[in-house]
Amino acid sequence: TMVTGMTLVQRLTPQGQLNEGMTLAVTALLGGIATGSATAGWLIDHTTPSTAYVTPVAAAALAFLLAFQRTLTRGIVVEAVK
């Protein structure tokens, strides 16, 4: 996932701004990990165990759907098939 993500950042970022693009991608990744850990801790303390297990699955499904929709609107899937 990291290699794919960084490859996409490298391809989509203008050459003169590659350092900023990589920095932003890593910062977003670390921010997401921190937010997910904090949310998981709160869910475990305040809800049922099943809710704590279902929430990351639902978040992953939502992220997949948003990313897939974005690739369709940008035509990335079509370019990859060619």
Side-chain angles (χ1 to χ4, degrees):
T1 301
M2 283 284 296
V3 171
T4 303
M6 292 301 161
T7 301
L8 282 173
V9 169
Q10 186 177 9
R11 287 184 183 172
L12 299 175
T13 304
Q15 191 65 31
Q17 296 176 325
L18 187 56
N19 188 39
E20 291 85 352
M22 292 292 190
T23 302
L24 183 61
V26 171
T27 302
L29 176 68
L30 294 175
I33 290 170
T35 303
S37 297
T39 303
W42 187 89
L43 283 171
I44 289 168
D45 288 342
H46 294 92
T47 64
T48 64
S50 60
T51 301
Y53 283 111
V54 168
T55 302
V57 174
L62 177 63
F64 172 77
L65 291 173
L66 290 172
F68 187 70
Q69 185 270 336
R70 177 82 173 156
T71 58
L72 290 177
T73 59
R74 291 195 65 172
I76 294 173
V77 172
V78 175
E79 291 175 15
V81 173
K82 290 179 183 178

